[in-house]
Amino acid sequence: MNYKIALIRGDGIGPEVVNEAVGVLDAAAAKFGHHVEYVDVLLGGCATDAVGKSYPDGTAERCRACDAVLLGAVGGPRWGADKPAEQRPETALLAIRKDLGLYANLRPATLRPAMAEASPLKKETAEKGIDLMMVRELTGGIYFGQRGRYETEDRGTECTDLMAYSEKEIERIGRRAFELARLRRHKVSSVDKANVLETSRLWRSVMHRLAAEYPDVAYEDVLVDNCAMQLVRDPGQFDVVVTENMFGDILSDEASMVTGSIGLLPSASIGDGAPGLYEPIHGSAPDIAGQDKANPIATILSVAMMFRYSFQRAEEAQAIEQAVDAVLAEGWRTPDIARQGESSIGTREMGRRIREKLSEL
Ligand code: IPM
Ligand code: MG
């Protein structure tokens, strides 16, 4: 097959981890007989520096001309909250999600076998394993609702952020969750705050309607505060967790933390048809940028997700995942996942070892 892939290298460690992921992508293409072409797309703080805005005109069109988008990381203290919106990297991230219609954000939180000791959870809990898929609604809710700020006579300044959801938005993300559960352990946990929020009550009623359509999938409602507790008490109970945008933002960070290895976790943002966007869930880590210290594995595993979800090529995805597991099982670690006193290797060597392993498989 021929694949055209947009590369958003981004800020901080983004360019280094994308380099290694591209190396692995090339190795996978060679192994399975694909041809890959890359197109660089400028977005994030680096775009602000280059052209004065984080989301240059034409960005979405350039991405739409590709089969998938691979993103390293964007952001950094130089483009902070004090800067105008069009210069902030976060603005660009939200805009590209919306413009490409990437309403489903899949964030697997997996405790890989070789990494069991990295989890901050109790040994008995961690040993049960963690293998959950957070499905976060990504283009609606409070992130994209109307905002306002106005002066009052007696209460000073007042602000609002509106959380709105339509049945249609809820149904399409719900369907994704049920379909994914069918490929996994057949369980969906839907997270809401239906004891307080009207959006959550609509969310819950739509999910119940879908649950009836998928009788082979076990279904439960979980209140968001309880979910936060369950994720540290017994994350092994979850298979697919589906939730609205802001709850998903918070819970996906929590879920990644309990695996103890944020440097290993990939993500996929997908819509209906448009190219999917694949990125590590970690940030741009400006403190270690350019030092060959960053862990490229999350970006490499994002390439595996790209094969699985954009190209429907499970075999390539599995081969990349196996190569990563094999290198970890041999004990190779970047500094972020090395145990105290253990030696570690750099970004480039980790990339090379995974490439070589993949070619040998
Ligand atoms: C994420 C990030 C973004 C979000 C920020 C950077 C806008 O936290 O991808 O989870 O809140 O969605
Ligand atoms: Mg977040």
Side-chain angles (χ1 to χ4, degrees), residues 109-111 119-134 184-185 187 189 220 226-241 251 254-260:
T110 321
L111 187 55
S119 169
L121 297 181
K122 277 198 207 138
K123 197 159 168 282
E124 315 81 272
T125 314
E127 273 170 2
K128 286 195 241 166
I130 304 173
D131 180 13
L132 68 86
M133 178 68 88
M134 190 71 69
R184 297 172 47 97
R185 302 195 308 278
K187 181 176 176 193
S189 307
E220 64 177 354
N226 183 30
C227 184
M229 288 198 293
Q230 297 303 326
L231 277 172
V232 290
R233 195 185 69 85
D234 178 22
Q237 69 184 285
F238 294 116
D239 178 16
V240 173
V241 179
L251 294 176
E254 189 190 3
S256 71
M257 210 56 219
V258 300
T259 70

Side-chain angles (χ1 to χ4, degrees), residues 282-312:
H282 60 66
S284 59
D287 51 319
I288 58 161
Q291 299 171 33
D292 196 38
K293 282 185 186 161
N295 189 343
I297 293 181
T299 317
I300 290 170
L301 290 172
S302 299
V303 169
M305 291 190 91
M306 178 186 290
F307 273 110
R308 183 170 287 123
Y309 296 108
S310 276
F311 307 151
Q312 274 71 49

